[in-house]
């Protein structure tokens, strides 16, 4: 079995989506062949489309943008619609990660991927919404990273099991392994640091440009 791991983050490096795709590749090693594909532009490359054609299942990893699917990724999906008759039926899985603590925020964007799959004549086989994704690139390589992202790892293992069995699952949601109030404090400290780095004061956090 060959699986496409589609990284739908527009970031060139250090995205939560990319980290999750690499994690799945590591966990699925020796059980199947994985092809990593970047969709960080408004059109997939011809090479990517050729690899997608060879894969039995696609896992689309993407960040939640304004409660939806990022526009460059929608544009790539639209591009694939234009050549949908050149694909066999694929099994589609989706992993959305968001900045808020609650993975449930991703629910409607998973619906978008599910509708698109049906429109393509593909089988949507399940989606996962992950909260606290913005922290993943910050903590992943730290000593505490494994513990903080353990719910993510569990979710990826469950999904890989279903992908390999060629089965579906009901959409489900998980969050980073930190209490919401600590996550919020850490995120606000991060915003404060970004403000200072960009020549503003921490107290400017609520500033509304006129
Ligand atoms: C333009 C933009 C819109 C966003 N909209 C949301 C949103 O509606 N809800 C949310 O929880 N996070 C939102 N985020 C945060 C991202 O989903 C979050 O940082 C995510 O972890 C980025 O994933 P990536 O590293 O895979 O790109 C937004 C980020 C950006 C840049």
């Amino acid at each position: 079995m060959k699986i496409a791991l589609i990284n739908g983050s527009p970031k060139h490096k250090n995205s939560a989506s990319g980290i999750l795709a690499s994690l799945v590749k590591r966990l699925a090693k020796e059980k199947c062949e994985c092809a990593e594909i970047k969709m960080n532009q408004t059109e997939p490359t011809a090479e990517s489309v050729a690899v997608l054609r060879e894969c039995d299942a696609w896992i689309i990893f993407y960040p939640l943008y304004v409660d939806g699917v990022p526009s460059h990724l929608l544009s790539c999906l639209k591009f694939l619609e234009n050549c949908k008759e050149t694909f066999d039926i694929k099994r589609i899985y989706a992993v959305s990660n968001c900045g808020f603590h609650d993975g449930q925020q991703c629910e409607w964007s998973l619906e978008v991927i599910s509708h698109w799959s049906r429109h393509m004549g593909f089988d949507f086989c399940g989606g996962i919404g992950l909260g606290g994704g913005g922290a993943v690139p910050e903590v992943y390589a730290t000593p505490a990273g494994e513990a903080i992202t353990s719910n993510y790892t569990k979710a990826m293992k469950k999904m890989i099991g279903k992908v390999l069995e060629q089965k579906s699952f009901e959409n489900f949601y998980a969050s980073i392994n930190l209490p919401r109030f600590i996550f919020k404090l850490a995120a606000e400290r991060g915003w404060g640091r970004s403000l200072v780095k960009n020549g503003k004061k921490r107290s400017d956090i609520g500033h509304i440009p006129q």
Side-chain angles (χ1 to χ4, degrees):
M1 183 190 296
K2 188 166 176 178
I3 301 173
L5 306 175
I6 300 171
N7 177 353
S9 171
K11 294 177 192 161
H12 288 278
K13 56 179 187 173
N14 216 20
S15 65
S17 304
I19 290 170
L20 287 166
S22 303
L23 172 65
V24 166
K25 189 174 180 179
R26 213 167 51 244
L27 293 172
K29 202 169 69 182
E30 289 156 18
K31 295 184 191 118
C32 65
E33 191 184 345
C34 293
E36 280 181 280
I37 291 170
K38 279 196 175 173
M39 280 199 189
N40 55 3
Q41 306 289 325
T42 50
E43 272 185 19
T45 62
E47 295 81 54
S48 301
V49 176
V51 175
L52 285 171
R53 233 176 241 123
E54 294 166 4
C55 293
D56 311 286
W58 300 358
I59 307 177
I60 308 175
F61 299 86
Y62 65 93
L64 186 72
Y65 274 13
V66 200
D67 282 352
V69 177
S71 61
H72 75 280
L73 181 58
L74 282 177
S75 168
C76 287
L77 299 180
K78 192 82 195 145
F79 179 95
L80 296 174
E81 273 178 40
N82 296 334
C83 51
K84 66 178 177 186
E85 58 291 334
T86 67
F87 293 101
D88 300 330
I89 297 175
K90 307 290 178 189
R91 293 189 310 285
I92 308 295
Y93 299 83
V95 179
S96 178
N97 88 87
C98 69
F100 285 124
H101 187 267
D102 296 306
Q104 192 87 29
Q105 299 274 340
C106 304
E107 181 177 357
W108 304 117
S109 76
L110 293 173
E111 283 285 295
V112 171
I113 303 291
S114 152
H115 289 306
W116 172 82
S117 306
R118 201 172 55 235
H119 187 65
M120 288 288 287
F122 295 169
D123 296 327
F124 182 72
C125 295
I128 305 176
L130 297 170
V136 172
E138 309 293 326
V139 301
Y140 199 66
T142 67
E146 202 173 310
I148 295 175
T149 58
S150 63
N151 293 339
Y152 278 35
T153 309
K154 270 187 230 155
M156 294 304 104
K157 283 184 177 163
K158 179 173 169 181
M159 178 179 65
I160 295 163
K162 295 293 181 187
V163 174
L164 295 174
E165 289 170 11
Q166 307 186 23
K167 289 201 172 141
S168 306
F169 60 85
E170 287 294 316
N171 288 0
F172 70 93
Y173 305 93
S175 293
I176 197 155
N177 211 349
L178 281 176
R180 187 188 278 110
F181 78 96
I182 292 185
F183 176 76
K184 191 165 172 278
L185 280 176
E188 278 164 7
R189 277 192 61 154
W191 286 119
R193 272 201 303 271
S194 298
L195 278 167
V196 172
K197 214 164 96 188
N198 287 286
K200 297 281 175 198
K201 296 193 292 292
R202 281 172 194 274
S203 54
D204 288 332
I205 199 152
H207 176 72
I208 300 171
Q210 300 303 316

